Structure formats: structure tokens, C-alpha cells
């Protein structure tokens, strides 16, 4: 079973692919879009379009563009937008986010939980800068170490200690790169638990509901492995912060 299919099944009941509740998403988007009545948003790694659909529903004068490599996720995004009557204000591109080119800049650029597409947080911000209007904002979500990771946490994530830093160091790096945090949100342990139980539970439930499917065993194994890596590994060690940033220079 390929990674994109696993992710799509795992996010069936938690379409925001990050440990952030719907209430927190609404608050972040309200802040991120408050600076202009009619604006344009770009999500570099939009998946099923959860952030953009919510932004368009809340801001009738905004338009949005989403970019992702997962064609099936983009289809779901288009179906959701159509069901809500938002499809005319949403453009979707089946493309590597690193290759996306636009003819005009955006008032808000998003990348929440998908900085790996650019090789990390700072490369993601460099890409976002290229698409941003003067005075625009970036909404970016990234992991950080809540505490020093032990071997179990690193093994569970398939990571090294250098892949993330603590929150203070992560924030310092963002500021040194020419950005000012005008808001930020650190996901709670409850949000993490809800996200991980939803991720693993949705995938496991699909396997139980489709026992004859050739991928059922692989889906169940992926859910069991992920649950163990989380509970016995990085739970309480890996944090998640969503920054709302504006350019300092």
C-alpha cells in the first residue's frame, strides 16, 4: 500500500493533516486572513484542501489555489469545495509544490505539516517568500522537540536529533531568517492524542471493514506500527507549532 493511500485512509475523520482541532484551525485562519477583505491564498501541499476550504467558507471575498502531488486528495478537495459551493473560488494543481509558478503573488501562503516537501522549515519559508505579496503572511506548521528525544522517540519517528530543535531555537531561527511571528499556536497533548488515535483508528477500521481487500493486512500493519511508534516512542516528545509570520526584511 503506497504512502499516499495510507495517508488518505488515515485522515478520513481528521482531514487536517496535523494535530490541530477545527476550532484552532478557525482561529488561525481568522488571524491569517484578517489583514485584507478580499485576498488570495496559496497552500503548498494542500492535500484534501482542508485549510483552503475552511478559509474560503469563512471569507466569501477570498480566492485560493492548492498544490499537491496526490491526485486522489485533490479530487476529494474538489468534491468538498463543490459540495459547499466554493469550487469557482478554488484552483487546484496536481504538481510538485517546488515546481509551482504563479503569475501574481498571494496574500497568504500556507504549509502546515508539509515542510518535508521543501526539505525543512527554512527552505519552505524561502519558497513561500517567492509567492508572497508585500505585507502578506505565511501560515506554517512544523515539529519541534518538547523535550530531549531519547532513542525510542527517534526510532519511532525515523529521525535524528538534528531534524528538529526546541521551540525557542526554532523560533529564533525563523526570526533570524527575516520573519516576525505575529501569532503562534502550540498544539496540546490532547490534540496530538486525538490526531494519532484518529489516524491509526481510521486506518485500522478500514482494514477491519475490508477484510478481503488485498491491502487490508498492510493497512492494519501500518496502523499497528504507527500506534506503537507513537505510544512507545515520541508521545510527549515531538511538539507541533503553527506560526503566523510576516516578513521583517
Amino acid at each position: 500500500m503506497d504512502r499516499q493511500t495510507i495517508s488518505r485512509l488515515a485522515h478520513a475523520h481528521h482531514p487536517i493533516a496535523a494535530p490541530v482541532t477545527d476550532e484552532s484551525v478557525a482561529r488561525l485562519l481568522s488571524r491569517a486572513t484578517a489583514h485584507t477583505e478580499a485576498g488570495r491564498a496559496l497552500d503548498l501541499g494542500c492535500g484534501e484542501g482542508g485549510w483552503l476550504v475552511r478559509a474560503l467558507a469563512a471569507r466569501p471575498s477570498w480566492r485560493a489555489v492548492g498544490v499537491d502531488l496526490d491526485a486522489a486528495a485533490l479530487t476529494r478537495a474538489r468534491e468538498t469545495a463543490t459540495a459547499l459551493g466554493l469550487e469557482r473560488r478554488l484552483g487546484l494543481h496536481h504538481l510538485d509544490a517546488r515546481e509551482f509558478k504563479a503569475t501574481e503573488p498571494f496574500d497568504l501562503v500556507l504549509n502546515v505539516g508539509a515542510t518535508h516537501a521543501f526539505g525543512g522549515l527554512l527552505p519552505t519559508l524561502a519558497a513561500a517568500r517567492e509567492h508572497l505579496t508585500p505585507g502578506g503572511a505565511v501560515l506554517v506548521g512544523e515539529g519541534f522537540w518538547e523535550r530531549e528525544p531519547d532513542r525510542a522517540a527517534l526510532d519511532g519517528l525515523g529521525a535524528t536529533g538534528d531534524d528538529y530543535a526546541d521551540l525557542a531555537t526554532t523560533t529564533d531561527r525563523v526570526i533570524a531568517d527575516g520573519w516576525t511571528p505575529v501569532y503562534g499556536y502550540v498544539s496540546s497533548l490532547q490534540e496530538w492524542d486525538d490526531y494519532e488515535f484518529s489516524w491509526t483508528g481510521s486506518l485500522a477500521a478500514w482494514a477491519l471493514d475490508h477484510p478481503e481487500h488485498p491491502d487490508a493486512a498492510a493497512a492494519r500493519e501500518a496502523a499497528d506500527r504507527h500506534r506503537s511508534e507513537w505510544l512507545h516512542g515520541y508521545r510527549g516528545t515531538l511538539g507541533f507549532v503553527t506560526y503566523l509570520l510576516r516578513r521583517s526584511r
Side-chain angles (χ1 to χ4, degrees):
M1 179 174 276
D2 64 87
R3 179 177 176 179
Q4 290 180 341
T5 300
I6 288 175
S7 178
R8 188 162 57 253
L9 294 172
H11 288 101
H13 300 290
H14 199 298
I16 296 298
V20 188
T21 63
D22 285 342
E23 294 78 11
S24 299
V25 169
R27 184 166 61 254
L28 285 160
L29 286 173
S30 178
R31 292 242 187 173
T33 58
H35 60 289
T36 179
E37 181 65 26
R40 300 175 71 244
L42 167 67
D43 192 338
L44 296 169
C46 67
E48 296 184 6
W51 289 88
L52 294 182
V53 167
R54 286 162 172 77
L56 294 179
R59 299 288 186 182
S61 297
W62 276 64
R63 304 182 69 85
V65 172
V67 183
D68 205 276
L69 274 173
D70 188 342
L74 293 175
T75 296
R76 290 284 296 275
R78 188 173 293 106
E79 290 171 348
T80 301
T82 299
L84 296 173
L86 306 172
E87 71 279 5
R88 293 186 178 181
R89 294 192 282 133
L90 177 63
L92 297 170
H93 298 266
H94 182 214
L95 189 69
D96 188 318
R98 295 171 297 181
E99 299 175 1
F100 177 73
K101 305 294 181 184
T103 57
E104 55 183 313
F106 293 83
D107 302 284
L108 174 65
V109 178
L110 304 94
N111 181 294
V112 182
T115 60
H116 57 271
F118 295 93
L121 177 58
L122 296 187
T124 298
L125 292 177
R129 187 188 294 261
E130 297 299 315
H131 297 292
L132 200 62
T133 60
V138 172
L139 195 65
V140 61
E142 177 70 320
F144 69 93
W145 295 130
E146 289 271 17
R147 61 188 181 191
E148 190 72 23
D150 58 16
R151 176 46 52 190
L154 295 175
D155 289 346
L157 291 165
T160 70
D162 293 334
D163 285 344
Y164 302 104
D166 61 28
L167 181 60
T169 302
T170 303
T171 305
D172 288 345
R173 289 173 178 173
V174 168
I175 293 170
D177 196 49
W179 300 89
T180 296
V182 295
Y183 187 56
Y185 180 75
V186 174
S187 297
S188 68
L189 182 59
Q190 181 179 351
E191 284 175 300
W192 263 112
D193 288 350
D194 177 70
Y195 175 69
E196 296 288 13
F197 270 126
S198 182
W199 197 105
T200 56
S202 296
L203 189 57
W206 181 88
L208 292 171
D209 291 340
H210 300 82
E212 305 304 321
H213 195 285
D215 288 332
R220 182 60 183 265
E221 192 276 333
D224 291 345
R225 182 177 64 252
H226 188 110
R227 188 187 309 106
S228 179
E229 290 169 344
W230 160 54
L231 289 173
H232 296 284
Y234 60 88
R235 182 176 185 265
T237 298
L238 182 65
F240 193 82
V241 57
T242 305
Y243 294 109
L244 180 60
L245 306 172
R246 291 178 58 185
R247 291 176 58 173
S248 308
R249 61 177 187 272

